[in-house]
Amino acid sequence: QVQLVESGGGLVQAGGSLRLSCVASGRVFSINAMAWYRQAPGKKRELVAVISSGGSTNYLDSTKGRFTISRGSAKNTVYLQMNSLKPEDTAVYYCAADPSSVVTTKAYWGQGTQVTVSS
């Protein structure tokens, strides 16, 4: 099993920045892809950014150029640097980790951290 703990959420004004962190523990050697998802009230959970163990990344179109996903040197930590935040970025952000190079139904999930962007 893998446990994921997110941190770094909060309230920020539009145009501001936040950095989310997610630390994995347990069977971390099994992790390949790590990702950030978000879910706004009344909306489906969506993929924000994903990074493979090799460093390949992919982003939600609306976050390209504003968000950057990265992994720590120990590979069991993933970060999401969020700049130029917009009110529409408001959501609960979840960390995911998967043994595959993409996030599948076998993924592990964190408990989520709230990000609120005020206009």
Side-chain angles (χ1 to χ4, degrees):
Q1 293 292 324
V2 173
Q3 296 79 40
L4 302 172
V5 178
E6 303 104 330
S7 62
L11 173 64
V12 64
Q13 288 188 331
S17 298
L18 282 174
R19 188 189 195 214
L20 305 183
S21 299
C22 173
V23 179
S25 59
R27 296 172 60 90
V28 296
F29 58 87
S30 67
I31 296 173
N32 184 340
M34 296 190 80
W36 288 96
Y37 282 71
R38 68 187 182 188
Q39 187 167 19
K43 296 187 176 181
K44 292 183 178 180
R45 189 173 297 190
E46 62 181 356
L47 175 65
V48 175
V50 59
I51 184 168
S52 71
S53 59
S56 299
T57 59
N58 197 18
Y59 293 90
L60 179 68
D61 283 348
S62 63
T63 68
K64 288 179 180 178
R66 299 188 299 123
F67 291 9
T68 302
I69 190 170
S70 62
R71 291 178 79 155
S73 58
K75 304 296 184 184
N76 68 324
T77 303
V78 64
Y79 306 99
L80 185 68
Q81 178 66 43
M82 304 186 294
N83 300 326
S84 302
L85 282 160
K86 304 175 181 180
E88 50 263 43
D89 294 318
T90 295
V92 178
Y93 283 70
Y94 297 91
C95 176
D98 199 285
S100 302
S101 58
V102 295
V103 177
T104 70
T105 56
K106 296 183 177 180
Y108 301 95
W109 293 90
Q111 81 287 353
T113 185
Q114 176 71 45
V115 171
T116 303
V117 184
S118 63
S119 57

